[in-house]
Amino acid sequence: MATMRCNKEARGGMEAMTIEAGVEPAFIRRAMELADLNAVRLALYQHTRDPEIAALPPAARLDEAQRALLIDRAAAWLERHASTEQVAEPAEDDLRALMTLATGKEMSDMEFAARRDLPGFRRFPFAVDWQGEKPPVPEGFRIAIIGSGFSGIAAGVQCEILGLPYTVIERQPEVGGTWTINRYPDVRVDTPSVTYEFSFEKGYRWKEHFGRGEEVRNYLAHVSRKYGVHDNTLFSHDLQSATFDEARNLWVLEMATPDGPKMLEANIVITASGVFANAREPAFEGVETFRGRIVHPSKWPADLDLAGKRVAVIGNGSTGVQILGALAREAAHVSVFQRTPQWISPREKYGAPVEPELAWLIENFPAYQNWWRYMATAALFDIHDLQVPDPEWQAKGGHVNQANDALRDMLTGYIHKETGGRQDLIDKLVPDYAPFSRRPVVDNGWYRALTRDNVELVTDKIVRVTETGVVTEDGTEREIDVIVAAIGFDVVKYLAPARYTGAGGRDLHATWDEGDGPRAYLGEMVPGFPNMFMIYGPNSQPLSGGTGLPAWYMVWASYAAQAVMRMLEEGKSRIEVKQDAFERYNRALDQQAANLLQLTREGGVDKNYYVNAAHGRLQVNAPWLSPDFHRMCTVVEWDDLSLS
Ligand code: NAP
């Protein structure tokens, strides 16, 4: 009989506890039924090297007998070996062989380099440490990190690893970034929590498979405290401006605080202010006359009571879709204003609690958690391919390529199923552009909510807001008490509202406006803005998402850290990207982006925030294949940078 133990270190540093409880074989078997059998196969093989286990096909192709064999052997192993011990990273060749076994596909060296940290065996995956003697850090040297959301915490932890002095500046009174401000009903992650946690702090005891906003906030607060970032954070400090002092190679930061303006000097600035910091304001004619409440979900009032109210929900992006079900259950009537239909996909176990058996398995089956993470991300390795049109396929009458069109069929079928075949809804809901042209939206019961008696779907354009309602172009005025403006964010306003003034008094936003919108080198650096690195800057969101954003936050932070360490090593005080390297990079980026669905007619071109509508260029995403981009962001091209 195995033992159930919950270990503080292993599970996210919750209350220290040791629960000694018998775990019956039947409990372990139930855990197996809930587990990712691919991860079970890998973990079991890693421990036993049983050739019969290695010979099994991926979980989806297991026949009854093979499935039974896997479960029997894993259950038997667990009855003797269950433990909360973390498994050390296998030797490189072995790790590569295990990763190949996991997907059944050989990897290039570059793919292996980009993915080897995904299972998270190393203590600090994706981060950089220093081999040999560290360069001395000059007296008073300081890095300022702007923002304490996921990426600011990543940057802080990276500084902790290297012993670099840093201060995090956070405008909110607590850590969490976007998760601090977004407190609307039913807010939660829409990627599995196993891929939406840091690899250096994995195995958090998530209550649900897709953690709720509050849990994500708690997780981030926990990480920030555990790794010392919290103690280096200035809360309620709102950065107003950052000005580079060329005489001293320092950034001078001005902040608004509850105690009045404050100033801080830093040798390096790492911005980690996210892309969703600036809520779009509704600009409908007459909106200022509305006598009810207008609410952006990122500013949800804690006292908002919708019982008996007539509500308008404008927008059907990730937020509008996530929020509708909860509002419809509370309000008297909801009018959903849809401007453009979305492709909205189901997610298995969305909204479901993590089953106790599975929670036990995650904690007590060594290496299961590593391979679970790996398999969850491996499922997305080929997503890039969905976004590249296939001319041959199109010549035969296809929309994009075979896989994308198959997805389109599947999602169309889903709309039919979820609406109960209601043709009036289906006609309005099936998009005329391809899936993946925009950020995929996850269904939180949105289609079903539209079939409720108290919900209507409105596709006529909003032309005006009156004192008491919303008027559409067909002349209809709907009486409304509360407008929920789920209309998204001014994504192109990177780093705003703070003002950044670089060398020669150049304003960053003016520089971008003179060109074709925000651009950067690797999403991180802009010429003329020395000693400044951006995390999640322009064109940095990997299209293939595959490795999960928390891993990328670490990768970007580690790039900045490498640059800083080199600067210290050489005793220099100024580092920046060269103009020609920036231009070369951006030319290649534009060329690569031109091949993608997002910029084609099938993609609807500027119908989404990935594309900068004013300039018709890809704005948010990095168009590269994920392993290529990973290499660019981890193997620094020193010739592209100038140090002085
Ligand atoms: P969004 O994706 O930009 O969607 C905005 C919605 O508002 C769209 O439906 C848009 O219509 C509509 N809209 C904007 N202006 C309008 C107008 N004047 N009239 C009518 N409709 C208008 O914004 P979001 O839903 O807030 O999501 C932003 C991002 O936040 C997501 O892509 C995701 O990355 C993140 N997010 C994540 C989660 C999560 O679960 N993890 C949840 C929420 C948000 P058009 O389509 O016609 O432009």
Side-chain angles (χ1 to χ4, degrees), residues 588-606:
L589 183 140
D590 288 347
Q591 228 168 23
Q592 183 77 10
N595 300 329
L596 294 173
L597 170 63
Q598 284 79 2
L599 296 182
T600 67
R601 194 181 51 78
E602 274 298 337
V605 194
D606 61 357

Side-chain angles (χ1 to χ4, degrees), residues 179 182 184 187-191 196 276 280 283-284 296 314-322 337-342 350 433 438-441 462 486-489 491 536 541 607-610:
W179 294 101
N182 280 289
Y184 58 81
V187 59
R188 65 172 75 238
V189 296
D190 63 5
T191 48
Y196 201 68
F276 302 124
R280 249 194 225 133
F284 303 104
H296 191 283
I314 305 177
N316 56 330
S318 298
T319 308
V321 166
Q322 197 162 54
F337 291 87
Q338 169 188 281
R339 190 165 66 177
T340 314
Q342 294 270 12
Y350 192 73
Y433 59 89
R438 319 170 130 207
R439 203 271 197 187
V441 176
I462 298 171
I487 57 176
F489 299 84
V491 167
Y536 211 168
Q541 181 171 295
K607 274 187 170 174
N608 72 96
Y609 72 82
Y610 282 178

